Amino acid sequence: MTEIKGRFGGFGGQFIPETLMNAVIELEEAYNKYKEDPEFVAELADLFNNYAGRPSNLYYAKHMTENLGGAKIYLKREDLNHTGSHKINNVLGQVLLAKKMGKTRIIAETGAGQHGVATATAAALMGLECEVYMGKHDTDRQALNVYRMELLGTKVHPVTSGTMTLKDAVNETLREWTKRIDDTHYVMGSVMGPHPFPTIVRDFQAVISKEIKEQMLEKEGKLPNAVIACVGGGSNAMGAFYNFIEDKAVRLIGCEAAGLGVDTKDTAATMATGSVGIFHGMKSYFCQDEYGQIAPVYSISAGLDYPGIGPEHAYLRDSGRAEYVPVTDDEAVEAFEYLSGIEGIIPAIESAHAISYAMKLAPTMSKDQIIVVNVSGRGDKDVAAIARYKGVEIYE
Amino acid sequence: MNNMTAQSYIDKAFSNGKAFIPFITCGDPDLETTEKLVYAMEKAGANLIELGIPFSDPVAEGPIIQEASERALKGGVTTDKIFDMVKRIREKSSVPLAFMTYANLLFTYGLDKFLLGCKELGICCVILPDIPFEEKGEMLDKFQEYGVKMISLIAPTSKDRISKIAAEAEGFVYCVSSMGVTGTRTEITTDVAAMVAGVKEVNDIPCAVGFGISNAETAAKMSKAADGVIVGSAIVKIVGAHGRDCIEPVCEFVRELKGAMEQE
C-alpha cells in the first residue's frame, strides 16, 4: 500500500477545484488538532450520550434467529438514535468541529433527507445557520423531510440540475462551497468526497463498531462471525466495520442496492456494476459509461441511490478484507416486512438491504455462530412508499 | 499527423499581444456547429480556443455551461466523436486548441489513448479543474510523455499556494478570477494583478484570466492585468440562444471583446 496523503491503497485523494484546496487543508488541520483534544472529545461524548441517546442497543433478535434456524442474530439499533438513524453521529462531530473552527454557517447535501434532517438538527442545537441542497426529485418524494428541516430552521434548496437526485445535490453543495468558504463548513454526509472527509466521517461513525465490540464481548464473550451493513456512500457500514478490520476472522459484508437487478440499468450497485473512476473529489468505484459519464442510478431506497462508494470501501474490497453483495428492491421490501412482522422493528428501507442478506446467510451458518446486522435507521419515513410499492395508494 | 509542439502552439497564442481565449462546449448544439465556430472565432481574433468536452456532472461550472453540457450529451456527443471533429479541423486550421474537461473523462477513456489523440491532433493543453496541485502526480508523467501541457489553476483562495503551483506550472497558468463556479458576472473584485504578479515572481509563464468575464469592459480591464482573457459562459449563452445560427452573433461578440482588449 503506497502511503499518499488521504489515500486508501490507490483510492481517495483530493480531486477538487483549486478554490476549495485551502478549505480542505484548514479542515484537516483543525480535525487533527481537535480529535485528540480532551475538551472536544468530552463535549462530543456528552452530545452522543445525552442528546443522541448513545450507546445504541445491541438487541438479540430471538424470533428471527429461531425462524431462520442458523446463526444467532443481533441487531445494532442505530434506528433508535435521535433523528432516527446513524447520520446523527457524524453530524454532531462535524458541526461541533465547524463551530470550533469559527464557522457560522453549514451546508449539506441530502438524498432521502436523513442526513439533511440530522444536519438541520445539529445546526439548531448549536446555533449555526444551515442550508441543505436536495434533488428536486427527492424534495417531491420526501416532502415531509423538507418540512422537518424547515421546522428546524434550515433553508432547503431543491436542485434542478442533472438527474435531480443525490449526486446532483452533492454537485450543487460543492458549487455552493466554492462560492462561500470563509464562514461556511460543508457537512459531508458519508465516507466520501475529498480527503479528509472519508476519514473524518469514518472516525465519527466508528463509535458503532466500538460499541458493538464492547456489547458483544459483554453478552457473548466473543466477537461476531460476521457484521452486515448496507452501503450507499458507505458511512454506516464503515462505522460498523472499522473496529473489526484488524479482527480478520470477522467477515465484513456490505449490501449494495441492486434496484431491479445488477443485470438491468435500474441499479445502484456500484461494486457489482461499476468501474474505477474519479468523481466527487475521490478516486473510487463509480457507475459510469465507457467514456466516464456518470450513470443515472436507481434504487427504491433514496439513501442508497448514489453512483459511487467511499474510497475506503473500494480499498477493503480490492484488498479482500470486506465483501459486497447486491440486494434487489424486491428482496429489501421482503426484509422490510419480515423484520416488522417478526421482531416488531420497522427498519429503514436502506437497512432492510442488510437484513435481507442476513436472512440468506444465517441459515447457512451454525447455531454457535453470530451475525451482527447494523439497523442504520428506522423505517417510519418509508412506510408510505412501501405501501405504494405494494399497490396501496397512501400519501404522507 | 501534427508536427507543431505544444509549446509552439502556446507561443503562437500568446505572442501577438494579449490572447483572447474563447471557450465552447463541443456538440452544443451539434459538432458541425462547433467546427464552424472554431474557424469563425479564429477569423474573428481568437488566439487559443478552449474546447469543452462535456461531462455529466461538471462541478466547476455554473448553470450556463451545465445546461450546454447536458444538451451536448443528449445530442450523443462522445470523446471519440470530438477527436474526429478535431481531426477535421486540423485539415483546415492550425489555430491553437486546448481541451477543458474533468479528470474522469481522461481516466476512464484511458490516459494514453486520450493524450496520444491530443499529441497527434495538436491539442496543446488540457485544463482539468478537478486536478489540483496535490493530485497532478496522478497524470503528470503521461502528459510529459506525450508532450501535452497540463494547465495549472490558481484561485482567489490560493494565497500561499500560488508560488508552489506557479513554480511547477507549464504552458500557461489559468487564473480563476472569482469565487464560485463559471458564469457571467457584472464585475470582478479580486485583485487579479496581484495573483498574476505572484505567479511571475517564480515563473515567467503566460497567465490567462477566466471565470465571470462577460463583456468588453471587463475583458479590457482583465487584459491589462494578465496575458490573456478566457471567456466561456458569455459565449456559450449566445450559442444556447441562437443554436445553429450562433456563428455570426458569436463572432460579433468575439470581435467586440478582442477589439476592446486591443485598445487597452
Side-chain angles (χ1 to χ4, degrees), chain A residues 230-283:
Chain A
C230 64
V231 282
S235 69
N236 91 79
M238 209 56 238
F241 292 174
Y242 187 63
N243 286 290
F244 292 107
I245 290 175
E246 297 305 320
D247 302 308
K248 300 282 160 64
V250 180
R251 280 178 72 186
L252 305 176
I253 305 168
C255 302
E256 300 194 285
L260 301 186
V262 291
D263 48 356
T264 73
K265 280 191 154 185
D266 297 312
T267 181
T270 310
M271 293 294 202
T273 67
S275 55
V276 178
I278 296 170
F279 181 48
H280 280 166
M282 59 184 172
K283 191 189 228 186

Short mmCIF file of all heavy atoms in Angstrom, two decimals, chain A residues 230-283:
data_model
loop_
_atom_site.label_atom_id
_atom_site.label_comp_id
_atom_site.label_asym_id
_atom_site.label_seq_id
_atom_site.Cartn_x
_atom_site.Cartn_y
_atom_site.Cartn_z
N CYS A 230 -25.72 -2.05 5.18
CA CYS A 230 -26.00 -1.59 3.82
C CYS A 230 -24.97 -0.53 3.43
O CYS A 230 -24.40 0.14 4.29
CB CYS A 230 -27.41 -1.04 3.72
SG CYS A 230 -27.71 0.43 4.72
N VAL A 231 -24.73 -0.38 2.11
CA VAL A 231 -23.81 0.65 1.62
C VAL A 231 -24.39 1.45 0.46
O VAL A 231 -24.85 0.89 -0.52
CB VAL A 231 -22.44 0.11 1.15
CG1 VAL A 231 -21.55 -0.21 2.31
CG2 VAL A 231 -22.59 -1.09 0.23
N GLY A 232 -24.37 2.77 0.63
CA GLY A 232 -24.62 3.68 -0.49
C GLY A 232 -23.28 4.37 -0.67
O GLY A 232 -22.38 3.85 -1.32
N GLY A 233 -23.10 5.51 -0.02
CA GLY A 233 -21.77 6.11 0.10
C GLY A 233 -20.94 5.26 1.06
O GLY A 233 -19.75 5.08 0.89
N GLY A 234 -21.63 4.73 2.09
CA GLY A 234 -20.99 3.74 2.93
C GLY A 234 -20.68 4.14 4.36
O GLY A 234 -19.84 3.51 5.00
N SER A 235 -21.36 5.17 4.92
CA SER A 235 -20.93 5.62 6.24
C SER A 235 -21.36 4.70 7.38
O SER A 235 -20.58 4.46 8.30
CB SER A 235 -21.38 7.05 6.52
OG SER A 235 -22.77 7.16 6.68
N ASN A 236 -22.58 4.13 7.31
CA ASN A 236 -22.95 3.26 8.43
C ASN A 236 -22.14 1.96 8.38
O ASN A 236 -21.75 1.42 9.41
CB ASN A 236 -24.47 3.04 8.50
CG ASN A 236 -24.96 1.83 7.73
OD1 ASN A 236 -24.85 0.71 8.21
ND2 ASN A 236 -25.48 2.04 6.53
N ALA A 237 -21.85 1.50 7.16
CA ALA A 237 -21.06 0.28 7.01
C ALA A 237 -19.63 0.52 7.50
O ALA A 237 -19.06 -0.29 8.23
CB ALA A 237 -21.05 -0.18 5.56
N MET A 238 -19.06 1.65 7.12
CA MET A 238 -17.69 1.96 7.55
C MET A 238 -17.63 2.03 9.07
O MET A 238 -16.69 1.53 9.69
CB MET A 238 -17.27 3.29 6.92
CG MET A 238 -15.79 3.42 6.66
SD MET A 238 -15.13 2.10 5.64
CE MET A 238 -13.91 1.51 6.80
N GLY A 239 -18.67 2.65 9.66
CA GLY A 239 -18.73 2.76 11.12
C GLY A 239 -18.86 1.39 11.78
O GLY A 239 -18.25 1.13 12.82
N ALA A 240 -19.66 0.52 11.16
CA ALA A 240 -19.88 -0.81 11.73
C ALA A 240 -18.68 -1.73 11.52
O ALA A 240 -18.46 -2.66 12.28
CB ALA A 240 -21.14 -1.43 11.12
N PHE A 241 -17.91 -1.49 10.45
CA PHE A 241 -16.76 -2.35 10.13
C PHE A 241 -15.49 -1.93 10.86
O PHE A 241 -14.67 -2.77 11.21
CB PHE A 241 -16.43 -2.28 8.63
CG PHE A 241 -17.46 -2.88 7.69
CD1 PHE A 241 -17.30 -2.74 6.31
CD2 PHE A 241 -18.56 -3.57 8.18
CE1 PHE A 241 -18.23 -3.29 5.43
CE2 PHE A 241 -19.50 -4.12 7.30
CZ PHE A 241 -19.34 -3.97 5.92
N TYR A 242 -15.31 -0.63 11.06
CA TYR A 242 -13.97 -0.09 11.32
C TYR A 242 -13.19 -0.78 12.42
O TYR A 242 -12.05 -1.19 12.22
CB TYR A 242 -14.05 1.42 11.59
CG TYR A 242 -12.67 2.04 11.69
CD1 TYR A 242 -11.82 2.03 10.58
CD2 TYR A 242 -12.20 2.58 12.88
CE1 TYR A 242 -10.54 2.56 10.66
CE2 TYR A 242 -10.93 3.12 12.96
CZ TYR A 242 -10.10 3.10 11.85
OH TYR A 242 -8.84 3.62 11.93
N ASN A 243 -13.80 -0.97 13.58
CA ASN A 243 -13.05 -1.57 14.69
C ASN A 243 -12.90 -3.09 14.58
O ASN A 243 -12.33 -3.72 15.46
CB ASN A 243 -13.68 -1.18 16.03
CG ASN A 243 -13.38 0.27 16.37
OD1 ASN A 243 -12.24 0.63 16.67
ND2 ASN A 243 -14.38 1.14 16.26
N PHE A 244 -13.42 -3.66 13.49
CA PHE A 244 -13.24 -5.09 13.25
C PHE A 244 -12.24 -5.38 12.13
O PHE A 244 -11.96 -6.55 11.84
CB PHE A 244 -14.58 -5.76 12.90
CG PHE A 244 -15.55 -5.79 14.06
CD1 PHE A 244 -16.66 -4.96 14.08
CD2 PHE A 244 -15.33 -6.65 15.14
CE1 PHE A 244 -17.55 -4.99 15.14
CE2 PHE A 244 -16.22 -6.68 16.20
CZ PHE A 244 -17.33 -5.85 16.22
N ILE A 245 -11.73 -4.33 11.50
CA ILE A 245 -10.86 -4.56 10.33
C ILE A 245 -9.66 -5.43 10.70
O ILE A 245 -9.28 -6.33 9.95
CB ILE A 245 -10.42 -3.21 9.70
CG1 ILE A 245 -11.63 -2.55 9.03
CG2 ILE A 245 -9.30 -3.43 8.67
CD1 ILE A 245 -11.38 -1.17 8.47
N GLU A 246 -9.09 -5.19 11.88
CA GLU A 246 -7.91 -5.97 12.29
C GLU A 246 -8.29 -7.37 12.80
O GLU A 246 -7.43 -8.23 12.93
CB GLU A 246 -7.13 -5.23 13.37
CG GLU A 246 -6.54 -3.88 12.92
CD GLU A 246 -5.68 -4.01 11.66
OE1 GLU A 246 -4.93 -5.00 11.55
OE2 GLU A 246 -5.79 -3.13 10.78
N ASP A 247 -9.57 -7.58 13.10
CA ASP A 247 -10.01 -8.91 13.55
C ASP A 247 -10.39 -9.73 12.33
O ASP A 247 -11.57 -9.83 11.95
CB ASP A 247 -11.23 -8.77 14.50
CG ASP A 247 -10.91 -7.90 15.70
OD1 ASP A 247 -9.91 -8.18 16.38
OD2 ASP A 247 -11.66 -6.93 15.95
N LYS A 248 -9.38 -10.33 11.72
CA LYS A 248 -9.54 -10.94 10.41
C LYS A 248 -10.60 -12.05 10.35
O LYS A 248 -11.10 -12.36 9.27
CB LYS A 248 -8.19 -11.47 9.89
CG LYS A 248 -7.12 -10.38 9.75
CD LYS A 248 -7.33 -9.55 8.49
CE LYS A 248 -6.64 -8.19 8.53
NZ LYS A 248 -5.18 -8.24 8.60
N ALA A 249 -10.93 -12.64 11.50
CA ALA A 249 -11.91 -13.73 11.49
C ALA A 249 -13.34 -13.21 11.34
O ALA A 249 -14.26 -13.98 11.06
CB ALA A 249 -11.79 -14.56 12.76
N VAL A 250 -13.53 -11.91 11.53
CA VAL A 250 -14.88 -11.35 11.42
C VAL A 250 -15.14 -10.98 9.96
O VAL A 250 -14.46 -10.13 9.39
CB VAL A 250 -15.03 -10.09 12.31
CG1 VAL A 250 -16.43 -9.51 12.20
CG2 VAL A 250 -14.68 -10.41 13.76
N ARG A 251 -16.13 -11.63 9.36
CA ARG A 251 -16.49 -11.28 7.96
C ARG A 251 -17.19 -9.94 7.94
O ARG A 251 -18.09 -9.69 8.75
CB ARG A 251 -17.43 -12.33 7.37
CG ARG A 251 -16.75 -13.58 6.90
CD ARG A 251 -17.79 -14.58 6.38
NE ARG A 251 -18.37 -14.18 5.09
CZ ARG A 251 -19.38 -14.83 4.51
NH1 ARG A 251 -19.91 -15.90 5.09
NH2 ARG A 251 -19.85 -14.42 3.35
N LEU A 252 -16.80 -9.08 7.03
CA LEU A 252 -17.44 -7.77 6.88
C LEU A 252 -18.18 -7.76 5.55
O LEU A 252 -17.57 -7.98 4.50
CB LEU A 252 -16.37 -6.66 6.91
CG LEU A 252 -15.45 -6.66 8.13
CD1 LEU A 252 -14.36 -5.59 7.99
CD2 LEU A 252 -16.25 -6.46 9.42
N ILE A 253 -19.49 -7.55 5.61
CA ILE A 253 -20.30 -7.69 4.39
C ILE A 253 -21.13 -6.43 4.16
O ILE A 253 -21.96 -6.05 4.99
CB ILE A 253 -21.23 -8.92 4.48
CG1 ILE A 253 -20.40 -10.18 4.80
CG2 ILE A 253 -22.02 -9.09 3.19
CD1 ILE A 253 -21.24 -11.39 5.19
N GLY A 254 -20.89 -5.78 3.03
CA GLY A 254 -21.65 -4.59 2.65
C GLY A 254 -22.72 -4.96 1.65
O GLY A 254 -22.46 -5.72 0.71
N CYS A 255 -23.94 -4.45 1.85
CA CYS A 255 -25.05 -4.77 0.95
C CYS A 255 -25.40 -3.56 0.10
O CYS A 255 -25.83 -2.53 0.61
CB CYS A 255 -26.26 -5.21 1.76
SG CYS A 255 -25.89 -6.63 2.82
N GLU A 256 -25.19 -3.71 -1.20
CA GLU A 256 -25.46 -2.62 -2.13
C GLU A 256 -26.89 -2.70 -2.65
O GLU A 256 -27.47 -3.79 -2.72
CB GLU A 256 -24.59 -2.76 -3.37
CG GLU A 256 -23.13 -2.75 -3.15
CD GLU A 256 -22.42 -2.56 -4.49
OE1 GLU A 256 -22.36 -3.51 -5.29
OE2 GLU A 256 -21.96 -1.44 -4.73
N ALA A 257 -27.40 -1.55 -3.09
CA ALA A 257 -28.74 -1.52 -3.64
C ALA A 257 -28.71 -1.93 -5.11
O ALA A 257 -28.19 -1.21 -5.96
CB ALA A 257 -29.33 -0.12 -3.51
N ALA A 258 -29.27 -3.10 -5.41
CA ALA A 258 -29.26 -3.59 -6.79
C ALA A 258 -30.46 -3.08 -7.59
O ALA A 258 -30.55 -3.32 -8.79
CB ALA A 258 -29.24 -5.12 -6.80
N GLY A 259 -31.39 -2.38 -6.93
CA GLY A 259 -32.56 -1.87 -7.65
C GLY A 259 -33.34 -3.01 -8.27
O GLY A 259 -33.72 -3.97 -7.60
N LEU A 260 -33.55 -2.94 -9.60
CA LEU A 260 -34.29 -4.00 -10.28
C LEU A 260 -33.40 -5.19 -10.61
O LEU A 260 -33.86 -6.19 -11.15
CB LEU A 260 -34.94 -3.46 -11.56
CG LEU A 260 -35.91 -2.29 -11.38
CD1 LEU A 260 -36.59 -1.95 -12.71
CD2 LEU A 260 -36.96 -2.58 -10.31
N GLY A 261 -32.10 -5.08 -10.31
CA GLY A 261 -31.18 -6.19 -10.57
C GLY A 261 -29.89 -5.70 -11.20
O GLY A 261 -29.91 -4.71 -11.94
N VAL A 262 -28.78 -6.40 -10.92
CA VAL A 262 -27.48 -5.93 -11.42
C VAL A 262 -27.33 -6.14 -12.93
O VAL A 262 -26.43 -5.57 -13.55
CB VAL A 262 -26.30 -6.62 -10.70
CG1 VAL A 262 -26.21 -6.14 -9.26
CG2 VAL A 262 -26.40 -8.14 -10.76
N ASP A 263 -28.22 -6.93 -13.52
CA ASP A 263 -28.16 -7.10 -14.98
C ASP A 263 -29.09 -6.11 -15.70
O ASP A 263 -29.27 -6.19 -16.90
CB ASP A 263 -28.49 -8.55 -15.35
CG ASP A 263 -29.75 -9.06 -14.66
OD1 ASP A 263 -30.32 -8.29 -13.83
OD2 ASP A 263 -30.17 -10.20 -14.93
N THR A 264 -29.69 -5.18 -14.94
CA THR A 264 -30.52 -4.15 -15.56
C THR A 264 -29.82 -2.80 -15.43
O THR A 264 -28.83 -2.68 -14.73
CB THR A 264 -31.90 -4.03 -14.88
OG1 THR A 264 -31.73 -3.39 -13.60
CG2 THR A 264 -32.54 -5.39 -14.69
N LYS A 265 -30.38 -1.78 -16.12
CA LYS A 265 -29.84 -0.42 -16.00
C LYS A 265 -30.32 0.24 -14.72
O LYS A 265 -29.74 1.23 -14.27
CB LYS A 265 -30.28 0.42 -17.20
CG LYS A 265 -29.45 0.19 -18.44
CD LYS A 265 -29.75 1.25 -19.49
CE LYS A 265 -28.55 1.44 -20.41
NZ LYS A 265 -28.74 2.53 -21.36
N ASP A 266 -31.40 -0.26 -14.17
CA ASP A 266 -32.01 0.35 -12.98
C ASP A 266 -31.40 -0.24 -11.71
O ASP A 266 -32.03 -1.01 -11.00
CB ASP A 266 -33.53 0.15 -13.01
CG ASP A 266 -34.14 0.85 -14.20
OD1 ASP A 266 -33.81 2.03 -14.40
OD2 ASP A 266 -34.92 0.22 -14.93
N THR A 267 -30.15 0.14 -11.46
CA THR A 267 -29.43 -0.39 -10.31
C THR A 267 -28.53 0.70 -9.74
O THR A 267 -28.23 1.68 -10.42
CB THR A 267 -28.60 -1.63 -10.73
OG1 THR A 267 -27.94 -2.15 -9.58
CG2 THR A 267 -27.57 -1.28 -11.78
N ALA A 268 -28.14 0.53 -8.47
CA ALA A 268 -27.17 1.45 -7.87
C ALA A 268 -26.04 0.64 -7.25
O ALA A 268 -25.36 1.10 -6.35
CB ALA A 268 -27.86 2.33 -6.82
N ALA A 269 -25.85 -0.60 -7.74
CA ALA A 269 -24.82 -1.49 -7.17
C ALA A 269 -23.46 -1.14 -7.77
O ALA A 269 -23.04 -1.69 -8.79
CB ALA A 269 -25.19 -2.94 -7.44
N THR A 270 -22.76 -0.23 -7.12
CA THR A 270 -21.51 0.31 -7.64
C THR A 270 -20.42 -0.75 -7.74
O THR A 270 -19.70 -0.82 -8.73
CB THR A 270 -21.03 1.44 -6.70
OG1 THR A 270 -22.11 2.33 -6.48
CG2 THR A 270 -19.88 2.19 -7.31
N MET A 271 -20.28 -1.57 -6.70
CA MET A 271 -19.21 -2.58 -6.70
C MET A 271 -19.49 -3.65 -7.76
O MET A 271 -18.59 -4.12 -8.43
CB MET A 271 -19.10 -3.25 -5.33
CG MET A 271 -18.63 -2.32 -4.23
SD MET A 271 -16.92 -1.77 -4.45
CE MET A 271 -16.54 -1.33 -2.74
N ALA A 272 -20.76 -4.04 -7.89
CA ALA A 272 -21.11 -5.12 -8.81
C ALA A 272 -21.07 -4.66 -10.26
O ALA A 272 -20.73 -5.43 -11.16
CB ALA A 272 -22.49 -5.67 -8.48
N THR A 273 -21.41 -3.40 -10.53
CA THR A 273 -21.54 -2.98 -11.93
C THR A 273 -20.61 -1.84 -12.31
O THR A 273 -20.51 -1.51 -13.49
CB THR A 273 -22.99 -2.52 -12.23
OG1 THR A 273 -23.25 -1.32 -11.49
CG2 THR A 273 -24.02 -3.57 -11.83
N GLY A 274 -19.94 -1.21 -11.36
CA GLY A 274 -19.16 -0.01 -11.67
C GLY A 274 -17.72 -0.30 -12.02
O GLY A 274 -17.29 -1.46 -12.10
N SER A 275 -16.96 0.78 -12.25
CA SER A 275 -15.53 0.66 -12.52
C SER A 275 -14.82 1.82 -11.85
O SER A 275 -15.46 2.77 -11.41
CB SER A 275 -15.28 0.67 -14.03
OG SER A 275 -15.85 1.83 -14.60
N VAL A 276 -13.50 1.73 -11.77
CA VAL A 276 -12.74 2.78 -11.06
C VAL A 276 -12.80 4.09 -11.84
O VAL A 276 -12.69 4.11 -13.07
CB VAL A 276 -11.27 2.33 -10.86
CG1 VAL A 276 -10.47 3.44 -10.16
CG2 VAL A 276 -11.22 1.06 -10.02
N GLY A 277 -13.02 5.17 -11.14
CA GLY A 277 -13.06 6.48 -11.76
C GLY A 277 -12.68 7.56 -10.76
O GLY A 277 -12.28 7.27 -9.63
N ILE A 278 -12.82 8.82 -11.19
CA ILE A 278 -12.50 9.98 -10.34
C ILE A 278 -13.69 10.92 -10.36
O ILE A 278 -14.04 11.44 -11.43
CB ILE A 278 -11.24 10.71 -10.86
CG1 ILE A 278 -10.01 9.80 -10.78
CG2 ILE A 278 -11.01 12.00 -10.07
CD1 ILE A 278 -8.78 10.36 -11.48
N PHE A 279 -14.34 11.09 -9.22
CA PHE A 279 -15.55 11.92 -9.18
C PHE A 279 -15.84 12.32 -7.74
O PHE A 279 -15.47 11.60 -6.81
CB PHE A 279 -16.72 11.10 -9.77
CG PHE A 279 -18.03 11.84 -9.82
CD1 PHE A 279 -18.09 13.13 -10.34
CD2 PHE A 279 -19.19 11.25 -9.35
CE1 PHE A 279 -19.31 13.81 -10.38
CE2 PHE A 279 -20.40 11.93 -9.39
CZ PHE A 279 -20.46 13.21 -9.91
N HIS A 280 -16.48 13.47 -7.58
CA HIS A 280 -16.80 13.98 -6.25
C HIS A 280 -15.59 13.98 -5.33
O HIS A 280 -15.67 13.61 -4.16
CB HIS A 280 -17.97 13.19 -5.63
CG HIS A 280 -19.31 13.64 -6.16
ND1 HIS A 280 -20.47 12.93 -5.99
CD2 HIS A 280 -19.65 14.76 -6.84
CE1 HIS A 280 -21.48 13.59 -6.56
NE2 HIS A 280 -21.01 14.70 -7.09
N GLY A 281 -14.46 14.37 -5.90
CA GLY A 281 -13.27 14.57 -5.09
C GLY A 281 -12.46 13.33 -4.79
O GLY A 281 -11.45 13.41 -4.11
N MET A 282 -12.91 12.17 -5.26
CA MET A 282 -12.22 10.93 -4.86
C MET A 282 -12.05 9.96 -6.02
O MET A 282 -12.82 9.95 -6.96
CB MET A 282 -13.05 10.24 -3.76
CG MET A 282 -14.46 9.89 -4.22
SD MET A 282 -15.48 9.19 -2.90
CE MET A 282 -17.08 9.14 -3.72
N LYS A 283 -11.01 9.13 -5.89
CA LYS A 283 -10.86 8.00 -6.80
C LYS A 283 -11.51 6.81 -6.12
O LYS A 283 -11.18 6.49 -4.97
CB LYS A 283 -9.38 7.73 -7.05
CG LYS A 283 -9.12 6.76 -8.17
CD LYS A 283 -7.66 6.40 -8.19
CE LYS A 283 -7.09 6.50 -9.59
NZ LYS A 283 -5.70 6.01 -9.62
#
